[in-house]
């Protein structure tokens, strides 16, 4: 039941490179909101501190409307703007803007659900400009990833490491936009995930010929994925300047995408 709200947390990691902006361990019902967290060599916000599926005391935590950027800075890897670990029922990651996450060698994510991440809602976030991928799940179950914008990953856009027999996550009403790298990384062959009502667009192949982990879009849909999804330009207002608002005629609206109000994100109050 602690609240960390409206703080500017920056330039950490000079003594301990692995320092985290806000770290939530074995504790529940906490809120981390409206902070600006930047210029760290490791993770911006970390929530949960147990590996695997055993019940923990880290649950019902709320991470919302934070602006997290310039994380990793080429020093460390295996980290994210927001990093989740372990069984976390009731935990919500909502309305955050995460960008410019770059690692030393591998594993820089905007939002990272690591080992055993379970029961987490990831909704209404914008993640862009990562060197590895924007969203990654190492392994976990029954997470919900909906109505987010994932953009401009360098190597990949979405990653799923371990294939398990249960439902990994539900991925719906998202926009995935990129101009470099591949769409999917990792294990996508066992179909224990739900993906639908998403919009995908690769600027480098505007004809819409995307590869879904080696499958064509038609083959991917035949496996039961993205049946109602489309490969179309989402029509951002100004993607070159990272303005991810949608123009009125964006095809994302027909898929049920709800606009993300970036004015709510980050610090509030008099700028002085």
């Amino acid at each position: 039941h602690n609240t960390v709200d409206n703080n500017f947390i920056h330039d950490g990691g000079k003594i301990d490179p692995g320092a985290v902006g806000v770290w939530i361990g074995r504790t529940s019902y906490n809120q981390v909101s409206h902070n600006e967290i930047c210029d760290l060599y490791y993770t911006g916000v970390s929530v949960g501190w147990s590996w695997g599926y055993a019940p923990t005391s880290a649950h019902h935590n709320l991470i919302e409307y934070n602006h997290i950027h310039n994380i990793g800075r080429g020093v460390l890897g295996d980290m994210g703007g927001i990093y989740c670990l372990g069984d976390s029922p009731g935990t919500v990651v909502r309305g955050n803007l995460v960008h410019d996450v770059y690692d030393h060698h591998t594993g820089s994510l905007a939002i990272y659900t690591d080992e055993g991440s379970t029961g987490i809602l990831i909704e209404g976030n914008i993640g862009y400009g990562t060197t590895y991928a924007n969203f990654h799940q190492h392994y976990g179950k029954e997470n919900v990833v909906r109505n987010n914008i994932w953009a401009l990953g360098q190597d990949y856009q979405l990653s799923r490491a371990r294939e398990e027999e249960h439902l990994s996550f539900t991925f719906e009403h998202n926009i995935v936009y990129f101009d470099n790298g591949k769409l999917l990384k990792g294990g996508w062959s066992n179909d224990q995930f739900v993906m639908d009502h998403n919009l995908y667009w690769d600027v480098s192949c505007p004809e819409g010929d995307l590869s879904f982990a080696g499958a064509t879009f038609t083959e991917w849909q035949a496996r039961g994925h993205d049946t109602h999804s489309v490969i179309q330009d989402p029509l951002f207002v100004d993607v070159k300047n990272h303005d991810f608002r949608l123009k009125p005629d964006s095809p994302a609206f027909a898929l049920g995408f709800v606009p993300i109000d970036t004015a709510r994100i980050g610090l509030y109050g008099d700028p002085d």
Side-chain angles (χ1 to χ4, degrees), residues 86-118:
D87 186 41
S88 302
T91 289
V92 176
V93 179
R94 176 174 59 205
N96 302 282
L97 173 62
V98 184
H99 61 91
D100 294 291
V101 184
Y102 41 105
D103 56 53
H104 172 63
H105 59 288
T106 183
S108 58
L109 296 310
I111 298 179
Y112 183 177
T113 46
D114 204 359
E115 301 187 43
S117 293
T118 297

Side-chain angles (χ1 to χ4, degrees), residues 37-133:
I37 302 172
C38 63
D39 298 303
L40 304 174
Y41 297 137
Y42 191 56
T43 289
V45 176
S46 180
V47 53
W49 199 246
S50 62
W51 290 256
Y53 295 118
T56 75
S57 56
H59 54 81
H60 292 89
N61 290 298
L62 175 62
I63 315 299
E64 66 175 359
Y65 303 116
N66 300 285
H67 182 195
I68 303 171
H69 59 97
N70 294 92
I71 300 297
R73 307 186 71 186
V75 175
L76 295 177
D78 196 27
M79 47 81 188
I82 300 173
Y83 173 90
C84 305
L85 183 67
D87 186 41
S88 302
T91 289
V92 176
V93 179
R94 176 174 59 205
N96 302 282
L97 173 62
V98 184
H99 61 91
D100 294 291
V101 184
Y102 41 105
D103 56 53
H104 172 63
H105 59 288
T106 183
S108 58
L109 296 310
I111 298 179
Y112 183 177
T113 46
D114 204 359
E115 301 187 43
S117 293
T118 297
I120 301 170
L121 171 61
I122 299 170
E123 180 177 44
N125 304 280
I126 301 175
Y128 72 87
T130 63
T131 51
Y132 181 75

Side-chain angles (χ1 to χ4, degrees), residues 12 16 22 34 67 80 85 93-95 103 106 114 118 125 136 155 157-158 162 180 188 199 212 252-253 259:
D16 175 6
V22 178
H34 292 286
H67 182 195
L85 183 67
V93 179
R94 176 174 59 205
D103 56 53
T106 183
D114 204 359
T118 297
N125 304 280
H136 169 68
D155 297 333
Q157 313 310 311
L158 311 172
R162 182 181 296 184
N180 195 68
W188 299 86
L199 184 151
F212 290 76
F253 294 127

Side-chain angles (χ1 to χ4, degrees), residues 205-238:
C205 58
E207 69 277 6
D209 184 20
L210 277 182
S211 172
F212 290 76
T216 66
F217 190 39
T218 300
E219 292 169 340
W220 182 253
Q221 289 181 313
R223 287 165 51 184
H225 307 306
D226 285 306
T227 304
H228 302 94
S229 300
V230 299
I231 300 175
Q232 288 183 265
D233 189 337
L235 301 178
F236 291 126
V237 169
D238 187 1

Side-chain angles (χ1 to χ4, degrees), residues 131-176:
T131 51
Y132 181 75
N134 286 304
F135 170 73
H136 169 68
Q137 181 160 305
H138 183 170
Y139 68 85
K141 61 182 179 180
E142 299 170 2
N143 297 307
V144 175
V145 184
R146 70 187 181 203
N147 209 90
N148 304 280
I149 295 173
W150 309 108
L152 304 174
Q154 176 178 288
D155 297 333
Y156 303 94
Q157 313 310 311
L158 311 172
S159 176
R160 176 180 184 251
R162 182 181 296 184
E163 296 188 306
E164 298 177 285
E165 294 306 312
H166 53 246
L167 177 68
S168 292
F169 51 75
T170 299
F171 188 91
E172 294 183 317
H173 303 288
N174 297 279
I175 298 174
V176 184

Side-chain angles (χ1 to χ4, degrees), residues 128 235-246 262:
Y128 72 87
L235 301 178
F236 291 126
V237 169
D238 187 1
V239 70
K240 290 184 178 180
N241 291 302
H242 305 128
D243 185 344
F244 295 104
R245 290 176 299 163
L246 296 171
T262 57

